Amino acid sequence: MKVHEYQARELLASAGIPVPPARVIESIDDAAGAYKDASRDAGTDLVVVKAQVHAGGRGKAGFVKLVRSASEATDAARFMLSNRMVSVQTGAEGIEVKKLLIAAGVDIAHEYYLAVTTDRATRRNVLIASAEGGVEIEKVAEENPKAIIKTPIHPLMGLQGHQAREVAFKLGMKGKQIGQAVKIMTALAQLYVDKDCTLAEINPLILTPPTADAPDGQLLAIDAKFNFDDNATFRHKDVQAMFDPAEENPGELRAARMGLSYIALDGSIGCLVNGAGLAMATMDIIKHHGGEPANFLDVGGSASEEAVTEAFRIILADGTVKAVLVNIFGGIMRCDIIAQGIINAARNVENTDGSKGFQVPLVVRLEGNKVEAGRELLRAAASDLPTLQAADDLTDAAKKVVGAVG
Amino acid sequence: MPVLVNADTKVICQGITGAFGAQHTKGCLEYGTRLVGGVTPGKGGTKDDNGLPIFDTVRGAVDATGAEATMIFVPPAFAGDAILEAAGAGIRLICCITEGVPVQDMLRVRMRLDEINLAARGADTHPTENLITLIGPNCPGIITPGPKTGRGDSAGDPYTDSGCKIGIMPGYIHTHVSESRLGKTIGIVSRSGTLTYEAVWQTSQLGFGQSTCIGIGGDPVRGLDHTACVELFDQDPDTDGILMIGEIGGADEEDAADYIKRHVKKPVAAFIAGRTAPPGKRMGHAGAIISGGQGTAESKIEALRAAGVSVAESPADMGRAMAQAMGMG
């Protein structure tokens, strides 16, 4: 689960990590007031207006703007709240922006990268730091891997002071910066564990230029990104409350509510499979035979009639689907029962024109317990489900469904 | 002697009175597994529908039955605790079927298990029988097939004689070597459930038996990994070939490829699921995600091929890739 930048900032602030003053607004009318507040708090006329969406590419799309007056802030807010944001990550239809973050601009002497994530190879949470912040860390990792400092964190002891100090020194920090950095790193590592994150990232963590009050400058978190372990949100009511359904694909959201695992993709062949590994493998075999999968969909081990019906609805709601492949390995459950469920679901599924019954080609591959009885049922159902074909095996199924799309 | 479990393995079920636990306790009994009891805190002293004794604690179950293996069906929030309870009670093989265990829980659990094993290892370098093995979580379990009795499907009249199934896999698709056409056995290790069944089915159809099949699970932090299972199969005199089914995410398959290259003489075949999966999207399993360019199917396939592994291009060809690796294709 992901959250918005403004929510990430709130999490950082709650952990004692300094962030520049900011406001969140939802209407154009509030932009001028928010500008004045942010500007006054920070003692600067430079303020940044940022659209609150999960998708990246905001800057290039014109949805992050530096403004120097209340009227400029209002203009920026009007643009962002009345236009859909289209970026490389959103697709052509773009996404609606509902909230804006209005934050005081800060002078930057240096940009750092700081994150905590879990390294599955060593089975440890790791602190990742770099003095080359502000850019994509993947790029730094690729071009200059030595610029990335990785520090393993003990699962019970947490990040130790000496570890954080060592990182700060390696980042080239000095004087009072060290103490500030240790505090930020320790807080971030603790927050990561406390909230069951899978990523807690500050990029950039900036150092302000020296002032009379702060001769070594001040470290501030400018932008942050958090991902949470979906398996652990049950024990974090506050994290659940940050969930924004508007950011999710409607099909994926609907599937999740039904306990199905669904991911929309760009192709034309819908897939309905039991088991995540087999679902991935089914996408692969479609591609292997020249087709393009329209989705990943795992209906779960039992493949019940209710689950299959709902899965068909979700797949068919994607208007680009030209054919559907059902691939079920009937392990514990008998293939004849599964086949009857698929037939009933195919008969009852509603089309966009209000009629019932499957209209696009439907190829069904069953294997396992009582498979012959299952195939017999599928063949017998062909009279009222003319688009239904039973496949002999996995390869046959892939060829049939790719052939049906043409 | 197949890998990790056999006809003599005494098994208990943690969460035996839950719907899922009860259903699969019955399934394992019917297969012929030596299930000797179960654990549900607060229900100790009663019996389940099969007449198996229920205990309040794993320690109580072990003391009374001599159980050495457990299958865990408790809800995700309690799974980590259930694993550590089993470890503390002297259980040697812990099979955690539960799906959805938080990653941070598993980090702590794995660290504790590693500590216990490190302490048990002491000065002796090869006392594997004293070490605790965790399979899963989020896995189908482990099965060593037995010869079919040709009779029933009930606890009193089990499906196999001397088979041991610990988990949720369909038992009937597996083939004991005595009933295989080719008289050769495959050891199968996989991160995915239904894809394992697919591989078992294909190898059975081609005339192979299976020595043992291990579903190691789809989570990022887990117990046994591919490398450990490949090592077990390589050392098992009753396993003739090894079939490894991986998926995108992590570096488990690359590590196994490295091990195979350096140590394994037996034929190895593999399939990697997720060639078409886009980066950053979690494909059902918590562990199946390509992030930061790591864990792609291509890198895994390349590493395996470089180690001399026969890699199936299509999931329909897992059995054939195995047969080819064994010179029988």
Side-chain angles (χ1 to χ4, degrees):
Chain A
M1 189 194 127
K2 294 178 179 175
V3 296
H4 288 295
E5 178 189 3
Y6 77 92
Q7 296 164 321
R9 285 171 54 107
E10 284 166 12
L11 277 168
L12 293 180
S14 74
I17 296 172
V19 292
R23 300 283 183 279
V24 178
I25 64 160
E26 293 180 48
S27 97
I28 301 163
D29 297 341
D30 295 337
Y35 171 87
K36 283 172 194 152
D37 288 347
S39 158
R40 186 187 56 237
D41 290 351
T44 167
D45 67 340
L46 188 68
V47 164
V48 61
V49 181
K50 298 166 110 176
Q52 295 300 288
V53 290
H54 291 179
R58 292 182 299 179
K60 274 191 188 153
F63 281 71
V64 175
K65 275 216 173 93
L66 284 171
V67 296
R68 290 188 179 274
S69 70
S71 73
E72 278 183 34
T74 304
D75 288 346
R78 181 174 298 117
F79 172 78
M80 292 181 201
L81 290 174
S82 39
N83 289 295
R84 292 174 79 83
M85 179 185 125
V86 179
S87 85
V88 281
Q89 290 191 14
T90 62
E93 72 280 14
I95 44 172
E96 191 188 351
V97 177
K98 289 194 181 125
K99 286 192 170 84
L100 303 177
L101 181 77
I102 300 198
V106 284
D107 291 327
I108 295 172
H110 195 94
E111 291 184 300
Y112 301 95
Y113 175 94
L114 196 62
V116 180
T117 188
T118 302
D119 177 18
R120 52 201 280 178
T122 56
R123 295 178 301 273
R124 289 285 185 274
N125 300 327
V126 281
L127 179 78
I128 300 170
S130 174
E132 296 182 21
V135 291
E136 273 184 48
I137 198 68
E138 281 89 358
K139 224 172 208 175
V140 179
E142 203 172 293
E143 289 164 9
N144 187 11
K146 277 189 184 154
I148 291 180
I149 306 158
K150 288 187 181 177
T151 308
I153 303 169
H154 191 278
L156 301 180
M157 304 287 285
L159 185 73
Q160 297 295 294
H162 72 272
Q163 292 182 298
R165 277 198 303 280
E166 190 179 346
V167 173
F169 283 118
K170 279 188 186 162
L171 289 173
M173 291 175 178
K174 58 181 177 22
K176 293 226 161 78
Q177 295 163 9
I178 304 293
Q180 292 179 37
V182 168
K183 205 175 146 226
I184 291 170
M185 290 176 198
T186 312
L188 191 68
Q190 194 58 46
L191 192 59
Y192 182 88
V193 175
D194 287 348
K195 302 291 179 196
D196 278 294
C197 301
T198 54
L199 176 73
E201 178 186 80
I202 302 174
N203 189 24
L205 173 75
I206 64 115
L207 178 69
T208 60
T211 61
D213 292 345
D216 290 328
Q218 203 202 341
L219 289 171
L220 287 173
I222 296 296
D223 198 351
K225 198 198 268 179
F226 279 81
N227 292 347
F228 299 92
D229 181 354
D230 294 329
N231 288 341
T233 46
F234 71 87
R235 58 189 176 200
H236 302 292
K237 293 271 182 293
D238 54 340
V239 173
Q240 284 173 33
M242 286 191 268
F243 180 69
D244 181 359
E247 285 284 344
E248 307 296 317
N249 173 295
E252 292 177 16
L253 205 59
R254 189 169 163 185
R257 272 194 224 110
M258 283 294 293
L260 308 175
S261 180
Y262 168 86
I263 292 164
L265 300 165
D266 293 332
S268 58
I269 298 173
C271 316
L272 190 164
V273 189
N274 67 335
L278 192 58
M280 259 191 286
T282 304
M283 289 161 50
D284 296 345
I285 199 170
I286 287 171
K287 183 107 175 175
H288 186 66
H289 289 282
E292 286 290 337
N295 66 276
F296 164 96
L297 197 157
D298 170 12
V299 287
S302 64
S304 67
E305 185 177 324
E306 294 73 36
V308 172
T309 306
E310 186 59 19
F312 277 154
R313 284 191 194 121
I314 292 164
I315 292 171
L316 294 176
D318 177 351
T320 58
V321 169
K322 294 206 182 78
V324 175
L325 170 59
V326 174
N327 181 17
I328 305 283
F329 195 96
I332 302 285
M333 206 155 157
R334 280 159 41 192
C335 286
D336 51 344
I337 294 174
I338 294 169
Q340 194 57 54
I342 293 168
I343 293 163
N344 293 350
R347 280 179 182 148
N348 291 326
V349 74
E350 307 84 3
N351 297 300
T352 41
D353 60 5
S355 65
K356 278 191 172 186
F358 227 82
Q359 290 174 337
V360 299
L362 172 64
V363 179
V364 180
R365 181 267 179 163
L366 296 175
E367 198 59 85
N369 199 0
K370 306 252 191 245
V371 66
E372 271 316 316
R375 285 190 196 144
E376 194 47 51
L377 281 171
L378 292 173
R379 278 190 285 268
S383 54
D384 63 321
L385 285 168
T387 68
L388 174 66
Q389 295 182 73
D392 299 332
D393 57 44
L394 199 45
T395 303
D396 181 46
K399 283 182 177 164
K400 277 191 169 126
V401 78
V402 171
V405 169
Chain B
M1 166 73 194
V3 170
L4 292 169
V5 298
N6 61 25
D8 299 327
T9 309
K10 286 188 193 170
V11 186
I12 56 165
C13 175
Q14 285 169 265
I16 191 169
T17 54
F20 207 36
Q23 178 197 344
H24 290 290
T25 293
K26 190 161 175 279
C28 291
L29 277 171
E30 286 170 359
Y31 189 74
T33 306
R34 220 171 147 194
L35 258 164
V36 294
V39 176
T40 296
K43 293 196 179 163
T46 61
K47 285 190 171 9
D48 83 338
D49 290 346
N50 309 294
L52 291 175
I54 301 176
F55 302 87
D56 285 324
T57 62
V58 178
R59 173 91 59 197
V62 169
D63 287 348
T65 64
E68 52 182 323
T70 180
M71 53 182 189
I72 296 175
F73 286 90
V74 307
F78 313 111
D81 184 39
I83 292 169
L84 292 181
E85 183 184 359
I91 292 279
R92 160 183 80 78
L93 181 74
I94 303 167
C95 219
C96 184
I97 311 298
T98 306
E99 181 178 353
V101 183
V103 177
Q104 293 300 314
D105 291 7
M106 280 312 301
L107 285 184
R108 292 185 282 261
V109 166
R110 255 309 294 264
M111 194 185 77
R112 179 67 191 131
L113 289 181
D114 292 347
E115 271 176 12
I116 295 172
N117 280 342
L118 193 65
R121 200 175 281 133
D124 194 349
T125 49
H126 294 287
T128 22
E129 57 275 17
N130 296 331
L131 299 187
I132 297 162
T133 301
L134 171 66
I135 302 175
N138 187 15
C139 75
I142 178 169
I143 182 168
T144 292
K148 295 179 176 66
T149 57
R151 294 192 307 273
D153 250 336
S154 72
D157 183 14
Y159 186 72
T160 67
D161 166 30
S162 78
C164 179
K165 159 175 133 90
I166 306 179
I168 60 175
M169 66 290 280
Y172 72 92
I173 59 173
H174 300 81
T175 308
H176 184 258
V177 62
S178 66
E179 291 160 354
S180 70
R181 189 163 44 79
L182 298 170
K184 297 278 181 190
T185 61
I186 312 300
I188 300 179
V189 50
S190 170
R191 272 164 72 183
S192 138
T194 39
L195 204 48
T196 318
Y197 313 158
E198 190 77 48
V200 169
W201 183 264
Q202 289 178 19
T203 50
S204 286
Q205 295 288 310
L206 287 171
F208 293 107
Q210 296 85 31
S211 55
T212 299
C213 303
I214 311 173
I216 56 175
D219 281 0
V221 177
R222 54 182 176 258
L224 278 186
D225 56 14
H226 277 306
T227 307
C229 294
V230 166
E231 185 178 353
L232 286 168
F233 285 133
D234 194 42
Q235 289 167 1
D236 171 34
D238 291 341
T239 298
D240 300 309
I242 304 167
L243 177 54
M244 183 180 124
I245 299 155
E247 59 189 35
I248 52 162
D252 216 14
E253 291 80 4
E254 285 90 332
D255 293 345
D258 183 55
Y259 180 85
I260 291 164
K261 197 174 187 173
R262 285 187 292 120
H263 300 290
V264 177
K265 297 280 182 292
K266 286 182 185 174
V268 185
F271 174 73
I272 304 294
R275 269 189 165 180
T276 48
K281 292 275 189 183
R282 169 183 154 172
M283 291 288 137
H285 289 156
I289 183 163
I290 298 169
S291 53
Q294 301 283 301
T296 64
E298 280 68 30
S299 102
K300 293 171 191 300
I301 291 168
E302 201 178 304
L304 288 163
R305 289 225 164 104
V309 174
S310 159
V311 182
E313 286 284 336
S314 151
D317 295 333
M318 293 185 288
R320 271 190 287 275
M322 187 73 252
Q324 271 162 17
M326 296 180 75
M328 303 171 100

